[in-house]
Amino acid sequence: MAISMLMLLLFLFMAMSTAVILQNPDFESPPTNITLNTTNRLLLQNGINKIPGWSFSGTVWYITAGPNISLPGNGHGVQLGQDGKINQTFKVGDNDYVYVLSFTLASESKECSNNTVSVNVSTSARSKVFSLERHYGKEMWESHAFYFESWDDGKGFINLEIQGVSLQNETNIICRPVVDTFIIKEIGPSRLYSGNLLVNGGFEVGPAFLKSSKEGILLDEEPEQIESPLQQWSIIGTVKYIHSVHYYVPEGNAAIEIVSNEPSGIITLRKLSKGTDYTLEFIMGDANDSCVGDLILQAQVGKTNQNFTLQSKGTGSAQNQSLNFKADANLISISFTSINQGQRSDGVLCGPVIDNVVLSSNSSPTDSNPKLSSDFLSVFFIVLMMLLC
């Protein structure tokens, strides 16, 4: 009971660390000096009717959702022409935080071919192209996540820019990208807690979920673990970050569903003692999203690998799994990849859920109910004082 209360307080603390930094992040404040006309769903931006909080260049439309396009929130977004871009500059605090952006990408037509609806998201430090894949959910929009760090310009400002990717063969306006609902989450330094040699083994530290979205957040290929929106885990292919509000999550608030139809999964690196025996424990399940059939997951630690099979009825289930191994090097990669492709009856791709990954050494007795680290207790008392004040 005490540990459950501590976990709850930790989640409250994590929620309080999420800062709404952007102005008008969901475009629900309409362009200035206009009266919205429900019969005109597209409003071309110019120097007079700017969208509050945002600057733009090129061809940009303020769009209202209609019969051919649905959007999260209250149904407004921005459509980017072939040369269109929007940006917003915001201030960050003087801390060691990094940032993860959650946002929505959509198009007006299901007839647009895969990967033709794309945007480039960038800051001064890095950029990444995101494409609408269309087979990871039943909506006409998807949510993605982008990691970035604060750029030290001496003033603590970051310029976030979203630009439509130019496609020479695509001239139809309805296939131009629509963006909506931007949320930025501040994430503090990674931490280890006693009883687990892995950072973020429960996947609780990741992008912010969109309140209006039931589809989870797609995490795209990210080979660099330090630049991943999922703290300390690299992304292979595409996986889905799922929320306990809308999916079956074995433990805590979040988990990973491996959904890509290409080799996909997650991987992390960890320094271990060569020749020492270790145990890797994790929970494998299905997300309660009608993913029926045998789901096969491969866990690999260094040169040791093992396949695990879950006979899924698609209604939410979980199995505890474990893998014993001897470290064959001082730096070991730990990965989870899906062996077969799951698919729902409606064509949406799905796969096994992975959660609560725990790595422990067998060289000393393992506490089945490990004590929380001093860092965790410090967080607890800080949150408790904040709640009492």
Side-chain angles (χ1 to χ4, degrees):
M1 178 66 181
I3 290 182
S4 299
M5 182 61 69
L6 289 175
M7 292 299 294
L8 175 61
L9 289 173
L10 176 61
F11 293 149
L12 288 173
F13 175 79
M14 291 169 60
M16 285 186 286
S17 70
T18 301
V20 181
I21 301 174
L22 296 176
Q23 300 178 53
N24 196 19
D26 52 7
F27 306 110
E28 294 310 315
S29 294
T32 55
N33 300 323
I34 68 154
T35 300
L36 288 180
N37 185 345
T38 56
T39 62
N40 184 12
R41 292 182 51 249
L42 289 174
L43 177 66
L44 183 65
Q45 293 298 279
N46 54 42
I48 299 175
N49 58 10
K50 294 181 180 180
I51 300 173
W54 296 87
S55 300
F56 76 95
S57 64
T59 305
V60 174
W61 293 272
Y62 184 74
I63 187 170
T64 301
N68 295 323
I69 182 173
S70 63
L71 290 170
N74 293 321
H76 294 99
V78 165
Q79 187 168 41
L80 302 172
Q82 195 164 12
D83 58 346
K85 70 173 69 172
I86 58 172
N87 71 284
Q88 185 171 149
T89 300
F90 58 94
K91 187 173 179 58
V92 295
D94 183 15
N95 51 43
D96 294 328
Y97 283 22
V98 296
Y99 302 87
V100 175
L101 169 74
S102 303
F103 72 99
T104 297
L105 177 61
S107 77
E108 286 202 76
S109 174
K110 293 183 178 180
E111 304 303 318
C112 304
S113 58
N114 290 343
N115 299 319
T116 61
V117 180
S118 302
V119 293
N120 183 68
V121 180
S122 64
T123 64
S124 301
R126 67 189 303 260
S127 65
K128 189 176 181 71
V129 173
F130 297 88
S131 298
L132 187 65
E133 298 285 352
R134 297 191 179 284
H135 41 231
Y136 297 126
K138 58 185 178 181
E139 300 287 352
M140 290 183 63
W141 46 266
E142 297 171 346
S143 297
H144 294 262
F146 172 68
Y147 166 98
F148 61 96
E149 297 181 36
S150 59
W151 188 251
D152 186 10
D153 61 356
K155 299 179 181 178
F157 286 95
I158 293 178
N159 182 57
L160 175 67
E161 182 178 278
I162 301 92
Q163 182 171 8
V165 174
S166 177
L167 299 165
Q168 295 180 353
N169 297 327
E170 188 57 77
T171 58
N172 192 341
I173 183 176
I174 66 173
C175 290
R176 299 306 306 162
V178 176
V179 291
D180 187 21
T181 315
F182 291 83
I183 301 176
I184 293 177
K185 183 176 181 178
E186 296 179 322
I187 294 178
S190 59
R191 294 182 178 182
L192 284 172
Y193 298 103
S194 63
N196 194 353
L197 298 175
L198 293 180
V199 173
N200 198 23
F203 311 120
E204 298 299 321
V205 186
F209 291 103
L210 281 61
K211 292 182 179 179
S212 55
S213 172
K214 298 181 181 180
E215 295 290 350
I217 299 177
L218 296 179
L219 307 184
D220 299 83
E221 180 92 21
E222 190 56 72
E224 295 295 332
Q225 147 176 338
I226 61 173
E227 294 183 345
S228 170
L230 185 66
Q231 188 181 68
Q232 290 297 309
W233 292 87
S234 300
I235 310 299
I236 308 167
T238 301
V239 302
K240 183 181 286 188
Y241 193 54
I242 60 175
H243 192 196
S244 59
V245 173
H246 302 297
Y247 293 87
Y248 174 70
V249 170
E251 185 168 300
N253 188 52
I256 293 295
E257 182 183 15
I258 304 177
V259 295
S260 177
N261 59 351
E262 305 267 338
S264 61
I266 55 175
I267 184 171
T268 189
L269 294 175
R270 182 64 183 155
K271 288 184 179 180
L272 300 179
S273 298
K274 184 177 180 180
T276 299
D277 293 322
Y278 294 88
T279 297
L280 182 70
E281 299 173 285
F282 61 95
I283 300 177
M284 178 183 178
D286 76 89
N288 189 23
D289 58 356
S290 302
C291 194
V292 178
D294 287 349
L295 304 178
I296 306 175
L297 182 74
Q298 182 181 82
Q300 181 162 353
V301 186
K303 298 178 181 178
T304 303
N305 65 77
Q306 184 175 332
N307 290 349
F308 299 87
T309 301
L310 175 73
Q311 295 179 337
S312 172
K313 295 182 180 180
T315 56
S317 61
Q319 294 177 354
N320 292 317
Q321 308 286 10
S322 65
L323 172 63
N324 296 315
F325 67 96
K326 186 184 295 289
D328 49 38
N330 290 323
L331 184 62
I332 294 290
S333 65
I334 301 170
S335 65
F336 297 91
T337 53
S338 182
I339 299 299
N340 65 333
Q341 179 61 63
Q343 189 170 7
R344 297 175 355 195
S345 58
D346 58 4
V348 172
L349 300 183
C350 57
V353 169
I354 177 75
D355 197 8
N356 195 36
V357 183
V358 177
L359 176 65
S360 58
S361 171
N362 296 336
S363 61
S364 60
T366 302
D367 186 355
S368 61
N369 187 18
K371 296 179 181 178
L372 300 175
S373 70
S374 59
D375 283 340
F376 191 101
L377 292 175
S378 297
V379 171
F380 163 68
F381 286 116
I382 291 172
V383 175
L384 181 60
M385 291 301 295
M386 293 175 67
L387 292 175
L388 293 175
C389 293

